[in-house]
Amino acid sequence: MTRSRRTSAIALRRILNSRRMGLPLWMPRRRWSLIRVISRRALANTAILNHREALKDFKAVVKREPNNRDAKLKLADCEKLVRRVEFEKAIEVGDPPSAFEDLDIDSMAVDDGYDGVRIGNEMTQEFIDDMIERFKNGKKIHRKYVFQIIKAVRDLVYAEPTMVEIGVEEGNKLTVCGDTHGQFFDLLEIFRRNGYPSDKHAYLFNGDFVDRGSWSTEIALVLYAYKWLRPNGIFLNRGNHETDDMNKAYGFEGECKAKYNERVFKVFSESFSALPLATLIGEKYLVLHGGLFSDDSISLNDIRKLNRHNQRQPGQQGLMMEMLWTDPQTAPGRGPSKRGVGLQFGPDITKRFCEKNGLEAIIRSHEVRMEGYEVEHDGRCITVFSAPKYCDTTENKGAYINLGPELKLNYQVFEAVPHPPIKPMAYAQNSLLSMM
């Protein structure tokens, strides 16, 4: 990450934290004007989907600078966002019907001109191999197969516990990957370097498969196809970007509509809400997307007992939200989140949680790490991030972790690979977010 980008990120975090804590606006050393500070705060609030606060700030900028054309455009975009969010809330029902209701997949015909491998009622390795080649060449699979894959995996993961518990048998290997964020060609680089999922080699993907990168449907379908083929050989934790609000803002919804149709997004959304929230490896490592909790009394048993099916979206508080959104900090105790959602937890929090639950460490993702991974909190908090050169702008490496039966962590770092000339956020519907 360049120095200027780091400076901007730090500034945004301080601005948001100052607003939340009721403090006066923090003014950077470079003497930004009040207008510039308010504009950046508005963009930051847009990024965390705090649209009403963003709207107030954009209105303030336009009031102070009525001839500022850029501010007027951003205000108009933000007003559209707020109207859309309010409309969607107005038409919400308590228990929406399944997105698969009235979807007759069996009656869907695959025309004779389809040039890909076909499947019946079972996934095959031949189909996956062909699908990957199609995706590499810019092709799609037939919509019937998309629905089949999502339906099969939705049923599989719905039946799994909220915290899946696994080990690594003798002669086998497990690989833990962090965020892939629609960077399909970098996912293939992991498989090229480390091996594809097989009977002896399982994978755990720790959330944020989609959004930002412009091959999110390709990643989701490949991971889902492997899950259908080998239910006990690939494991999928939910991330904060496997949620409706994020998908609507950061590109996945738009990508589904552009490449397939709106129904595909809706069934993906239902499958995301069924995903487990954590995986326990050999009773030593708790793997979850975000991090730890606002309450020291939370235990592994509380995660086991959490009925995630009662709450499809994580909301702004509660156990599910914290599992998807929180981040570590270097200072002890807990602090306000730099994201505006969730919180930050210190090394003492991690130590108490691990000791209470008999864990060696937690493994989480959710944040870029310049070397692809980072070991913090005296070795008890490990972050792994698997999207190198994130969004084509951050000069970070990617990483993944290999474990054998002895459960020793073997970190592997890799560089980004070339991809076709499609920019990140290509399918994002909101111009405000596409510039973040």
Side-chain angles (χ1 to χ4, degrees), residues 345-366:
F345 57 95
D348 54 330
I349 306 299
T350 306
K351 179 181 179 182
R352 287 198 293 271
F353 182 82
C354 288
E355 289 179 348
K356 176 180 178 178
N357 292 282
L359 298 173
E360 189 164 313
I362 65 166
I363 300 174
R364 41 93 61 185
S365 303
H366 195 39

Side-chain angles (χ1 to χ4, degrees), residues 94-109:
D95 293 308
S98 170
F100 292 98
E101 192 173 292
D102 301 325
L103 182 64
D104 189 355
I105 300 174
D106 291 337
S107 69
M108 294 180 184

Side-chain angles (χ1 to χ4, degrees), residues 87-146:
F87 173 75
E88 289 172 350
K89 286 182 178 178
I91 63 173
E92 279 181 357
V93 293
D95 293 308
S98 170
F100 292 98
E101 192 173 292
D102 301 325
L103 182 64
D104 189 355
I105 300 174
D106 291 337
S107 69
M108 294 180 184
V110 180
D111 55 69
D112 294 337
Y114 182 70
D115 61 350
V117 171
R118 298 168 183 245
I119 53 172
N121 294 320
E122 299 291 335
M123 180 53 62
T124 67
Q125 186 65 53
E126 181 188 14
F127 180 89
I128 294 176
D129 293 342
D130 178 73
M131 178 172 62
I132 290 173
E133 287 303 311
R134 294 180 70 81
F135 290 164
K136 285 166 64 176
N137 293 316
K139 295 183 177 182
K140 297 179 290 186
I141 59 173
H142 194 277
R143 194 180 302 161
K144 174 176 182 173
Y145 301 143
V146 173

Side-chain angles (χ1 to χ4, degrees), residues 150-321:
I150 300 171
K151 177 65 166 60
V153 173
R154 185 266 180 197
D155 293 345
L156 284 170
V157 297
Y158 190 94
E160 291 181 331
T162 296
M163 184 176 73
V164 176
E165 301 183 44
I166 61 175
V168 184
E169 295 182 359
E170 196 65 38
N172 289 2
K173 180 169 77 170
L174 171 67
T175 298
V176 179
C177 296
D179 302 34
T180 51
H181 271 304
Q183 297 185 196
F184 175 68
F185 293 89
D186 295 315
L187 171 67
L188 296 186
E189 177 66 3
I190 295 175
F191 290 154
R192 185 194 70 80
R193 291 168 49 93
N194 195 54
Y196 283 78
S198 69
D199 292 337
K200 295 289 186 179
H201 185 179
Y203 275 83
L204 165 58
F205 286 86
N206 193 28
D208 282 13
F209 328 123
V210 301
D211 278 341
R212 297 192 184 275
S214 295
W215 291 271
S216 293
T217 56
E218 286 82 357
I219 283 189
L221 288 169
V222 167
L223 297 185
Y224 273 26
Y226 270 116
K227 180 67 177 177
W228 187 8
L229 181 66
R230 294 186 173 87
N232 296 313
I234 187 164
F235 302 94
L236 304 171
N237 284 347
R238 190 179 190 179
N240 68 302
H241 277 268
E242 279 72 54
T243 59
D244 284 357
D245 283 348
M246 291 289 131
N247 295 160
K248 291 175 183 295
Y250 288 95
F252 185 62
E253 180 186 42
E255 184 179 337
C256 287
K257 290 178 179 179
K259 294 179 179 178
Y260 296 101
N261 61 20
E262 185 176 8
R263 190 72 172 266
V264 166
F265 170 68
K266 289 181 177 179
V267 294
F268 259 128
S269 170
E270 184 169 322
S271 74
F272 289 165
S273 70
L275 290 170
L277 301 178
T279 302
L280 183 64
I281 302 175
E283 300 183 349
K284 291 182 68 173
Y285 301 107
L286 176 66
V287 186
L288 71 174
H289 182 72
L292 297 181
F293 310 100
S294 57
D295 186 345
D296 280 339
S297 69
I298 298 299
S299 69
L300 294 182
N301 278 333
D302 292 305
I303 301 174
R304 289 186 180 101
K305 291 185 293 185
L306 177 63
N307 186 347
R308 68 192 189 279
H309 302 311
N310 285 341
Q311 182 183 352
R312 288 187 57 177
Q313 303 302 320
Q316 295 291 309
Q317 60 185 1
L319 204 62
M320 182 190 298
M321 180 278 291

